[in-house]
Amino acid sequence: MSVTEQSADARQAEPGDGERATGGAPGRPGGASRLSRFSGLAIWAGFIITFAIWIPDTFLTSSTLKTILGGQAITGIVALAVIFPLAAGSFDLSAAQNLGLSALVVGALMTRAPHLSPALAIGATLGLGVLIGVGNGLLVAGIGVNSFIATLGMSSLLLAGAGLIGGGEYVGPFPPSFTSITEPSPLGIPIIVIYLAVLAFIGWYILEHTPIGRRTYASGANADAARLAGVRTGRYVFGSLVVCGLLASVAGVLLASSINSANQSLGPAYLLPAYAAAFLGTTQLKPGRFNVWGTMLAIYLLGTGIQGLQLAGGELWVTDAFNGVALIGAVSLALLLQRRRGRREKLAAAGG
């Protein structure tokens, strides 16, 4: 590793501007900003109290808790997947359709080739997810196609592939040895939530505590400055898209196992909530930065709101409306916070 790369790592390891801006005492702007990092917890608590008072008989039950925990786990894995390219300054709009295709492929391999073991079917499907990520990486980091356009086109190709494999029909049921990977509930917690927690911990460690993570953030924060510091930004954009492809495929495999079937329309529904959570996560814990734990908080905040509204008799469209409002609000709030930090920095520079 060159000296310039080491110095870039050192700069990335230091507290960011947003973090330094929150270092004031309580009652000053820094203290208020520090409190805003945890506003999601207050909103989440508000949702819980509201629905507990409104519909206590249906909301305050163990089944509702398990539904919220388990029902948001797949969305959480997709949100974790898209964090990596977002941190590197790119988008992957094919992640949700990668999930849908992966669910179909793993199911088709087991039902149409009965001699193939579930382990081999899962391995082949995860390999497909990696190949999809490689394809996105070559288009974005290799050729230089805008990530929005490249991954949107890839999503359309994957949708066509899902239609070809599914043929408008459901694939399933699957062997018990495959569905059993998502059936256990140790200590009453759906095991799929534990899978999410493990993946989130690994993702957090990579992004926050390794040189790879620091350079990924540097590539997304200011690609030109990172390149001048010796960071090969293209490699980190490429790698982030490959990781996204793999995690999206993992989500597809787990989804197929949990519902014991798959069809070509599974994927698209996960795109909006995943991005809503990722952007809402930038307002929590580490404002202005795509971060794992802020996103996980956002996933369950949104999941609690949606579940409560559904139990209260909300129509099916409520979910899409809720996620749409959350995405618009999260992006707007993130931009407002960024502008406020910019004004503080200018005032601090003028005063210094």
Side-chain angles (χ1 to χ4, degrees), residues 12-341:
Q12 287 299 311
E14 293 175 357
D17 292 337
E19 293 171 314
R20 282 193 292 266
T22 62
R28 295 182 180 180
S33 182
R34 187 186 298 111
L35 291 176
S36 71
R37 295 182 178 192
F38 303 98
S39 59
L41 291 173
I43 296 172
W44 192 8
F47 280 162
I48 294 172
I49 293 171
T50 298
F51 292 121
I53 296 173
W54 186 5
I55 45 173
D57 294 338
T58 54
F59 186 76
L60 294 178
T61 64
S62 59
S63 61
T64 297
L65 175 61
K66 290 181 180 179
T67 299
I68 293 173
L69 289 175
Q72 296 301 313
I74 297 297
T75 305
I77 296 174
V78 180
L80 178 63
V82 302
I83 285 176
F84 280 85
L86 286 171
S90 299
F91 285 89
D92 187 351
L93 300 182
S94 68
Q97 194 52 54
N98 184 344
L99 173 153
L101 180 63
S102 295
L104 266 177
V105 167
V106 73
L109 287 174
M110 289 183 294
T111 56
R112 298 173 187 175
H115 61 281
L116 192 67
S117 71
L120 287 176
I122 293 171
T125 303
L126 297 184
L128 174 63
V130 170
L131 287 177
I132 292 170
V134 168
N136 284 330
L138 289 174
L139 289 171
V140 176
I143 299 176
V145 180
N146 180 277
S147 63
F148 192 95
I149 300 300
T151 59
L152 185 61
M154 180 64 76
S155 181
S156 184
L157 290 175
L158 299 181
L159 183 61
L164 180 64
I165 295 172
E169 300 178 352
Y170 279 84
V171 175
F174 306 133
S177 58
F178 176 68
T179 57
S180 65
I181 65 177
T182 54
E183 285 178 352
S185 295
L187 300 177
I189 301 173
I191 196 168
I192 198 168
V193 178
I194 298 175
Y195 294 152
L196 170 61
V198 170
L199 291 172
F201 179 83
I202 294 172
W204 164 77
Y205 185 82
I206 290 172
L207 286 174
E208 301 288 348
H209 296 281
T210 68
I212 291 175
R214 290 192 290 270
R215 294 170 194 171
T216 298
Y217 278 125
S219 300
N222 191 324
D224 291 334
R227 279 192 291 268
L228 290 173
V231 177
R232 298 181 179 180
T233 57
R235 289 187 177 184
Y236 295 98
V237 172
F238 180 91
S240 70
L241 290 165
V242 172
V243 171
C244 183
L246 174 60
L247 288 174
S249 188
V250 168
V253 169
L254 293 175
L255 178 62
S257 172
S258 63
I259 64 177
N260 199 21
S261 65
N263 67 78
Q264 64 193 60
S265 63
L266 277 180
Y270 288 89
L271 186 64
L272 182 60
Y275 272 95
F279 278 96
L280 183 57
T282 64
T283 68
Q284 301 299 307
L285 307 185
K286 292 195 172 185
R289 181 169 176 159
F290 292 102
N291 67 92
V292 170
W293 299 124
T295 299
M296 295 301 105
L297 169 61
I299 281 289
Y300 284 103
L301 186 160
L302 296 174
T304 300
I306 290 170
Q307 185 66 23
L309 290 173
Q310 289 176 343
L311 290 173
E315 300 291 339
L316 292 176
W317 54 264
V318 168
T319 298
D320 291 329
F322 193 89
N323 285 325
V325 170
L327 179 58
I328 294 171
V331 174
S332 300
L333 181 58
L335 289 173
L336 290 172
L337 290 174
Q338 183 179 11
R339 289 173 184 170
R340 187 173 69 175
R341 284 196 298 271

